[in-house]
Amino acid sequence: MTISGVALLAICTLIGVFLGDLLGVALGVKANVGGVGIAMILLIAARLWLGARGLMSHGLKLGVEFWGALYIPIVVAMAAQQNVVAAAEGGPVVVIAAVGALLLCFGMVAILSRLGGANETMDEIEARSAAAREAARVAAGDPA
Amino acid sequence: MTAMLTHVFAANALLTAFAVVGLVMWLSNALSKHLTRGRVHGSAIAIIIGLAAAFAAGLWTGGEKGVADIPILAGIGLMGGAMLRDFAIVATAFEVDVVQAKKAGLIGAVALGLGTVIPFVFGALVAAAFGYTDAVSMTTIGAGAVTYIVGPVTGAALGASSAVIALSIATGVLKAVLVMIGTPLVARFIGLNNPRSAMVFGGLMGTVSGVSGGLAATDRRLVPYGALTATFHTGLGCLVAPSILYLAVRGIVGG
């Protein structure tokens, strides 16, 4: 049933937002603290639990994945109702924050991806698996 | 005739929103394919169109809610409102494969952590430098430098003003667009030619549309690895930005 997926998603979201509100009160913050993140963790846990018991039906998946697929359009709708006129007045903040964050992250990728020595590239992986297939074919005595 | 049509649109506000956003997505994907040869993702173009429309509507109506201030487009406010937004964001967690994610290992986790904290701190500092010195605004703009999803989720949770949320979305969108365009240009210099560096890349950059677009333009085979860690990035950001990071900022600058 598709509605079971939508219901699962709704239950996880409601619990997550509720726990986020509770956490906010507990921490003395007038806000929802990580409710969406908690809901995501609940959904991941629910998926593992249902999968392990063979309860993951096509309808259930469809009900959740439909809303996942709508996430970009909903973000577009969200972008379209913001106070962009006010944001434009703060123009340089956007450009400096975005470009700076990007350059810092590119730099970190360069450092982290070199940690632990050289890695097999995609080309090498493909060449190796092609060679392995070839060897298996020869070993199997396949004339072609 | 026009009045009747207007009535149909206004009476079915959410359906009008679906139709309008659907047309924008279709147009954006066509522009992405034919104008940029897929280099800039359709989703990024659509978001830019959304922000541009909000800007134009803001100038026209003088309101604060972008196109939602135009009566026949009021449904956009419902579609992009907090309820459906949270619902759809949570749904994306369903695609996370825990077994695959474990393969990213320690380095992936390190990249994820750094990919959240580094842009956040930088964004918050830039915000403070431009006079947004209250904890809520600094946190929201810092979260926007993480991704354009984490920014508004954080801003909405903390009760930031619409202008600050718009700044944080704009920062995240600009970052996503720059990731898409810049990745193929810097790929060679940052060692982006193997699954492990792709996972590091996804974890650090975060923005799923930026990462998948940028990797697709670099080497299609790297896309699933980058998208895997990038998916966690949004969840992690939504979890820590309005909580731990906000409390840290508030602890430093005060209420």
Side-chain angles (χ1 to χ4, degrees):
Chain A
M1 283 198 304
T2 305
I3 186 65
S4 57
V6 182
L8 172 71
L9 180 57
I11 291 166
C12 288
T13 309
L14 289 171
I15 295 176
V17 172
F18 176 67
L19 291 177
D21 277 341
L22 273 187
L23 207 56
V25 172
L27 294 170
V29 185
K30 254 191 178 175
N32 183 291
V33 179
V36 168
I38 297 169
M40 286 173 126
I41 293 168
L42 286 174
L43 186 67
I44 293 169
R47 193 207 166 130
L48 290 175
W49 191 86
L50 290 167
R53 280 158 189 76
L55 296 171
M56 187 69 71
S57 69
H58 174 70
L60 195 152
K61 277 171 79 169
L62 183 68
V64 182
E65 283 167 1
F66 172 77
W67 285 101
L70 275 188
Y71 129 102
I72 294 290
I74 285 175
V75 169
V76 172
M78 181 180 69
Q81 52 161 315
Q82 298 300 324
N83 193 351
V84 183
V85 174
E89 286 160 11
V93 180
V94 170
V95 176
I96 295 171
V99 173
L102 182 82
L103 293 179
L104 285 172
C105 287
F106 273 155
M108 284 308 301
V109 173
I111 295 167
L112 280 185
S113 64
R114 277 168 176 76
L115 282 180
N119 283 281
E120 207 175 21
T121 66
M122 283 315 293
D123 290 335
E124 286 162 3
I125 290 171
E126 288 213 329
R128 181 167 52 76
S129 60
R133 272 199 305 277
E134 179 71 12
R137 195 174 60 77
V138 170
D142 184 349
Chain B
M1 185 67 192
T2 315
M4 274 174 65
L5 210 56
T6 308
H7 173 73
V8 168
F9 288 150
N12 300 283
L14 186 57
L15 302 188
T16 307
F18 285 149
V20 170
V21 174
L23 287 173
V24 168
M25 293 296 302
W26 173 81
L27 175 72
S28 307
N29 284 330
L31 286 174
S32 160
K33 198 171 156 191
H34 298 296
L35 221 60
T36 73
R37 291 191 197 158
R39 191 155 283 196
V40 180
H41 240 230
S43 52
I45 296 174
I47 289 163
I48 291 166
I49 292 175
L51 288 168
F55 181 71
L59 289 181
W60 186 46
T61 65
E64 293 181 348
K65 286 185 288 180
V67 301
D69 282 325
I70 301 169
I72 62 165
L73 292 176
I76 301 267
L78 187 52
M79 181 179 173
M83 182 175 68
L84 289 184
R85 184 201 57 210
D86 288 354
F87 198 53
I89 292 168
V90 173
T92 61
F94 206 63
E95 286 147 39
V96 172
D97 184 337
V98 178
V99 178
Q100 284 296 314
K102 278 183 186 161
K103 288 186 189 166
L106 185 65
I107 197 92
V110 170
L112 266 176
L114 289 173
T116 305
V117 174
I118 291 176
F120 179 87
V121 170
F122 187 79
L125 288 176
V126 172
F130 278 87
Y132 297 90
T133 47
D134 61 295
V136 169
S137 298
M138 281 176 72
T139 306
T140 304
I141 294 171
V146 180
T147 78
Y148 58 76
I149 304 295
V150 178
V153 166
T154 302
L158 299 178
S161 72
S162 178
V164 168
I165 292 180
L167 274 178
S168 98
I169 294 179
T171 303
V173 169
L174 181 60
K175 184 181 162 196
V177 172
L178 292 173
V179 170
M180 286 178 212
I181 299 167
T183 302
L185 304 177
V186 300
R188 209 146 30 108
F189 305 105
I190 61 177
L192 201 52
N193 60 4
N194 62 79
R196 206 179 77 132
S197 65
M199 286 198 208
V200 168
F201 178 76
L204 265 159
M205 294 301 168
T207 157
V208 179
S209 61
V211 165
S212 51
L215 287 178
T218 306
D219 183 345
R220 289 197 63 85
R221 295 167 298 181
L222 297 173
V223 172
Y225 298 99
L228 180 70
T229 41
T231 319
F232 277 105
H233 190 277
T234 299
L236 182 69
C238 289
L239 187 62
V240 301
S243 55
I244 303 170
L245 294 176
Y246 169 63
L247 292 173
V249 171
R250 207 180 55 159
I252 294 167
V253 304

